[in-house]
Amino acid sequence: MEKDCEVEVVMMYDKFEKNVEGVFFLKGKDFTNAGTASSELKTILGEIGINQSIIRRAAIAAFEAEMNVIIYTPAGMMHYSVTPEILKVVVEDMGPGIEDIELAMTEGYSTAPDYIREMGFGSGMGLPNIKKNTDEMKITSSPGEGTTLEFVINLKKE
Amino acid sequence: MMINEIKETLQAETLTGMPYTDFDIKGAYSADLMSDVLAFCNSELLLITALTNAQVIRTAEFADIRVIIFVQGKRPDIDAVALSEEKGILLLATRLPMFEVCGRLYGKGLRS
């Protein structure tokens, strides 16, 4: 019995020290499954044992990024990696790209069509909201090509 | 404000099937824009909305909202209710309009 306990402790230690990473595939216009990737990420972060308020920030940022892919692009993927220091999420999509990133970062600016607004999104808060909830955010895009959004949340803070 | 008092004040019914024991809600936030909820709503609040799609449930999940009340007699579909039950989010529904719901709860001392 005692030995079992020792094994358990070692496993937990490993779980925390090792990097955890994975990828989710996102399908554009699939509103039925919108949010499932962020939901799974939230569960994984909970299992790792990350602080609740950090998980909330991560889940909100991931969900906004996921919704952007679902709303605006044909497809994309969300890659996440967790180290003891940081959570890094990279969301890549297949286009159409963002023409003016600075403008897209403005609170209230949105190019979303009406049916998206009727769903409660496209109020122009998505990208600013991701920035607000993360410690680093980088976005690269060119029209006609895809957009890559990257954000980092420090896990050692708080 | 306790959940049962909120239900009584708004003549609201429960849509989710999971059992719950009455608990205290610290405040409320009302919006139909889910990005606003994600940006401005603190965790553990009551969400008052007229929007009934699955994204509302997802929003509540990520913003750590435990109770949603749908106003004006609107009701989410069965899939949204099932998702809510899976995530442990309590759903209530009232026939009262948004303004009336906010006014009554504010009058009872609930704040944002």
Side-chain angles (χ1 to χ4, degrees):
Chain A
M1 281 305 273
E2 215 173 287
K3 204 156 197 190
D4 282 353
C5 287
E6 269 176 35
V7 171
E8 191 62 39
V9 170
V10 170
M11 277 174 64
M12 279 172 68
Y13 181 77
D14 266 353
K15 207 172 175 183
F16 183 67
E17 287 299 309
K18 260 190 204 163
N19 299 349
V20 180
E21 60 180 311
V23 65
F24 301 111
F25 293 93
L26 311 171
K27 197 174 147 204
K29 306 289 181 287
D30 181 7
F31 293 102
T32 314
N33 291 308
T36 48
S38 305
S39 180
E40 279 185 48
L41 179 61
K42 188 183 178 190
T43 305
I44 291 162
L45 296 179
E47 281 168 1
I48 295 172
I50 289 166
N51 169 304
Q52 278 303 319
S53 68
I54 293 180
I55 292 179
R56 185 177 191 263
R57 287 168 54 211
I60 289 174
F63 185 44
E64 289 281 17
E66 183 177 355
M67 284 309 292
N68 279 348
V69 174
I70 310 285
I71 293 169
Y72 296 105
T73 82
M77 51 206 246
M78 177 189 288
H79 179 268
Y80 68 90
S81 57
V82 191
T83 70
E85 287 79 30
I86 61 159
L87 159 71
K88 183 176 173 181
V89 176
V90 182
V91 181
E92 282 176 273
D93 67 54
M94 294 171 67
I98 301 170
E99 213 150 313
D100 187 338
I101 293 172
E102 207 179 317
L103 189 60
M105 285 298 299
T106 312
E107 287 188 13
Y109 177 82
S110 175
T111 58
D114 284 348
Y115 80 96
I116 296 296
R117 289 171 202 259
E118 278 158 23
M119 263 189 273
F121 286 86
S123 65
M125 287 305 297
L127 291 177
N129 205 8
I130 295 171
K131 194 178 170 70
K132 183 182 149 190
N133 281 292
T134 57
D135 294 301
E136 279 172 53
M137 176 187 166
K138 199 170 84 184
I139 183 163
T140 47
S141 183
S142 46
E145 289 169 38
T147 300
T148 303
L149 169 81
E150 197 179 307
F151 67 77
V152 172
I153 295 180
N154 297 331
L155 304 178
K156 285 272 158 99
K157 237 170 47 172
E158 289 184 294
Chain B
M1 196 169 177
M2 301 300 281
I3 288 297
N4 286 348
E5 194 190 348
I6 290 173
K7 280 179 67 179
E8 205 175 302
T9 305
L10 305 175
Q11 294 139 29
E13 58 179 303
T14 312
L15 302 179
T16 38
M18 76 261 190
Y20 72 95
T21 40
D22 200 14
F23 58 94
D24 191 36
I25 278 286
K26 300 269 176 280
Y29 187 86
S30 65
D32 290 342
L33 286 173
M34 292 304 110
S35 276
D36 277 357
V37 177
L38 291 167
F40 304 117
C41 181
N42 293 325
S43 56
E44 305 292 326
L45 297 189
L46 166 75
L47 174 62
I48 304 161
T49 186
L51 208 64
T52 57
N53 60 36
Q55 275 73 44
V56 178
I57 314 297
R58 288 294 182 195
T59 299
E61 178 192 355
F62 301 130
D64 294 335
I65 289 164
R66 292 173 66 200
V67 190
I68 304 171
I69 180 148
F70 299 104
V71 302
Q72 204 107 47
K74 304 208 173 148
R75 281 157 182 273
D77 63 21
I78 195 160
D79 291 339
V81 174
L83 178 63
S84 199
E85 285 170 347
E86 186 193 321
K87 300 297 172 188
I89 298 161
L90 181 67
L91 301 184
L92 305 175
T94 177
R95 292 198 166 279
L96 299 172
M98 175 89 93
F99 182 76
E100 183 77 23
V101 168
C102 296
R104 286 194 187 190
L105 295 180
Y106 195 92
K108 291 267 183 180
L110 202 65
R111 296 293 180 264
S112 55

